[in-house]
């Protein structure tokens, strides 16, 4: 309510105005992707399922409004893009009874008891894809074993991102035969590739000289911008022409970040008003959604935030690697441990504390060969990680064949 995050979705989450859905004899697949990251991750799987099954009717539900917008953009094959209603039985039961899905797919860590339970009551298979579980969540689930057992008994198959999570799910009582490691779907997502001319056009639009060093700071959260901007002061002293492209994670914070830049007296422009850019601004604030991957393509170095706030635990540090961009990230990556392992193994990025961020950036901006080596390693990492969509699709086929 404070930020207006759910202004457009609150009524819909009460189940009001939920559309009447007629299967017309088709297989109905309901995919739930809570927010932006999950919607991007599951896009490749949705497209694969559309091709595999005979004219399926696909529903995509989301929890956040940004996730809803991303699902519309990245999963156009879905017949319905909806908000998942609040998980009260009196809301969920009549909706599931009317829709009668054949397959329900939930992503990552989004476990809704009544939604999954009522789906199974209507005869659907419930499958977790891109699943993961933090140590903190596993500990909490173990404390409430009775509820945990009931919750996870509603899931027929758990397709996990990596072996990191197998023991955690086993420790909370999930049966080993219901677990399969299929990889991270985020690696199979579509990464748009801009031509050199398109990149230069973006730079010109945003007032970035063609040969100026560029740092893209992606997916920032509250408290991170201030800490990172403070760390950048010595970097600007060493590289006065450095342009910093700042991309906050959530749109409701655009004005807040702009106010912070004004308070710190850092010259900046906003993408929404880039027609007034002078070219002398130090920071370019991206106040629009869906452009992070475009921005990564004209970066010399990428800094993935969400990793300097212990409450967040990190975001997708593989994204800039897929464009051959050397990648930095902070110490708080407990939500993405397998990604940290991959980046360290391929040497495509560095985990850097806020205290060492300025010195690391200065060193890398001075050392083009190291940047190029890290970028090439990132491309190798991206190629190595492909294939989760196919493995997940095969696992879903196997699960659907059971008990037939």
């Amino acid at each position: 309510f404070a930020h207006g995050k759910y202004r457009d979705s609150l009524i819909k989450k009460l189940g009001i105005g939920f559309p009447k859905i007629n299967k017309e004899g088709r297989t109905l697949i309901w995919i739930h992707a809570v927010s932006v990251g999950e919607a991007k991750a599951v896009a490749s799987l949705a497209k694969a399922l559309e091709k595999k099954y005979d004219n399926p009717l696909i529903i995509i539900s989301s929890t956040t409004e940004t996730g809803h917008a991303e699902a519309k953009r990245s999963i156009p094959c879905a017949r319905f893009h909806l908000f998942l209603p609040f998980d009260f039985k009196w809301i969920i039961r009549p909706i599931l009874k009317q829709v009668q899905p054949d397959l329900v797919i939930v992503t990552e860590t989004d476990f809704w008891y009544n939604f999954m339970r009522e789906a199974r009551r209507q005869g659907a298979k419930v499958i977790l894809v891109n699943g993961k579980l933090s140590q903190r969540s596993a500990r909490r689930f173990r404390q409430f074993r009775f509820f945990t057992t009931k919750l996870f008994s509603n899931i027929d198959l758990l397709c996990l991102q990596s072996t990191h999570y197998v023991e955690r799910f086993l420790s909370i009582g999930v049966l080993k035969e219901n677990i399969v490691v299929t990889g991270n779907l985020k690696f199979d997502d579509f990464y748009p590739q801009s031509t050199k001319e398109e990149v230069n056009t973006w730079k010109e639009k945003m007032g970035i000289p063609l040969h100026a060093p560029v740092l893209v700071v992606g997916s920032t959260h509250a408290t991170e911008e201030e800490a990172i901007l403070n760390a950048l002061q010595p970097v600007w002293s060493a590289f006065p022409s450095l342009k910093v492209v700042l991309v906050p994670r959530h749109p409701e914070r655009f004005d807040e970040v702009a106010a912070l830049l004004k308070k710190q007296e850092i010259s900046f422009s906003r993408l929404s008003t880039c027609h007034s850019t002078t070219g002398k601004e130090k920071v370019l604030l991206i106040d629009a959604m869906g452009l992070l991957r475009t921005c990564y393509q004209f970066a010399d170095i990428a800094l993935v935030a969400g990793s300097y706030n212990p409450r967040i635990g990190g975001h997708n540090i593989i994204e800039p690697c897929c464009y051959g961009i050397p990648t930095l990230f902070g110490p708080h990556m407990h939500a993405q441990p397998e990604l940290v392992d991959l980046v360290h193994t391929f040497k495509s990025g560095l985990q850097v504390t806020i205290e060492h961020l300025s010195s690391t950036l200065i060193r890398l901006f001075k050392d083009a060969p190291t940047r190029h080596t890290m970028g090439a390693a990132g491309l190798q990492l991206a190629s190595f990680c492909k294939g989760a969509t196919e493995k997940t699709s095969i696992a879903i086929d196997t699960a659907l064949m059971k008990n037939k």
Side-chain angles (χ1 to χ4, degrees), residues 193-207:
Q193 298 286 339
S194 301
T195 64
K196 185 176 181 180
E197 290 74 20
E198 289 170 334
V199 168
N200 290 341
T201 298
W202 268 103
K203 283 187 169 184
E204 182 179 356
K205 178 180 179 180
M206 300 173 71

Side-chain angles (χ1 to χ4, degrees), residues 128-345:
L128 171 70
V129 302
N130 229 39
K132 62 180 183 177
L133 188 68
S134 69
Q135 290 180 337
R136 182 182 182 187
S137 293
R139 184 167 58 249
R140 288 179 172 176
F141 277 126
R142 286 194 295 268
Q143 290 174 344
F144 301 95
R145 180 76 68 171
F146 175 73
F147 172 73
T148 299
T149 300
K150 292 182 66 176
L151 175 67
F152 286 95
S153 68
N154 292 311
I155 304 178
D156 295 284
L157 177 69
L158 293 85
C159 300
L160 306 187
Q161 293 182 15
S162 78
T163 55
H164 281 84
Y165 305 112
V166 174
E167 287 300 323
R168 294 177 191 174
F169 278 102
L170 291 176
S171 75
I172 64 174
V174 175
L175 299 177
K176 190 172 184 178
E177 56 263 33
N178 291 339
I179 295 175
V180 59
V181 176
T182 52
N184 194 327
L185 291 170
K186 290 179 180 178
F187 301 143
D188 287 349
D189 191 14
F190 173 67
Y191 287 80
Q193 298 286 339
S194 301
T195 64
K196 185 176 181 180
E197 290 74 20
E198 289 170 334
V199 168
N200 290 341
T201 298
W202 268 103
K203 283 187 169 184
E204 182 179 356
K205 178 180 179 180
M206 300 173 71
I208 301 176
L210 291 183
H211 300 293
V214 178
L215 171 68
V216 173
V217 183
S219 298
T220 59
H221 291 259
T223 74
E224 291 189 304
E225 292 95 359
E226 184 172 9
I228 291 170
L229 289 169
N230 289 337
L232 286 174
Q233 296 303 325
V235 188
W236 272 312
S237 296
F239 298 93
S241 61
L242 172 66
K243 300 296 184 181
V244 176
V245 180
L246 184 56
V247 191
R249 180 75 172 182
H250 297 118
E252 65 271 11
R253 297 193 58 251
F254 292 157
D255 290 342
E256 176 187 336
V257 177
L260 173 65
L261 290 164
K262 289 180 182 178
K263 180 181 178 181
Q264 293 201 358
E265 299 182 345
I266 297 174
S267 58
F268 74 100
S269 64
R270 299 175 66 146
L271 179 64
S272 59
T273 57
C274 63
H275 57 274
S276 60
T277 298
T278 66
K280 297 180 180 180
E281 294 84 0
K282 291 183 176 180
V283 174
L284 309 167
L285 174 59
I286 305 300
D287 54 355
M289 296 299 293
L291 292 176
L292 182 56
R293 291 179 183 179
T294 298
C295 294
Y296 280 145
Q297 292 180 72
F298 51 78
D300 293 293
I301 300 173
L303 175 62
V304 183
S307 54
Y308 290 97
N309 184 329
R311 295 180 60 187
I312 306 303
H315 289 305
N316 185 0
I317 57 177
I318 305 301
E319 272 188 315
C321 293
C322 291
Y323 291 109
I325 305 302
T327 303
L328 305 184
F329 51 95
H332 302 294
M333 287 293 296
H334 52 269
Q336 311 283 352
E338 75 285 0
L339 303 190
V340 177
D341 285 353
L342 283 167
V343 168
H344 285 166
T345 298

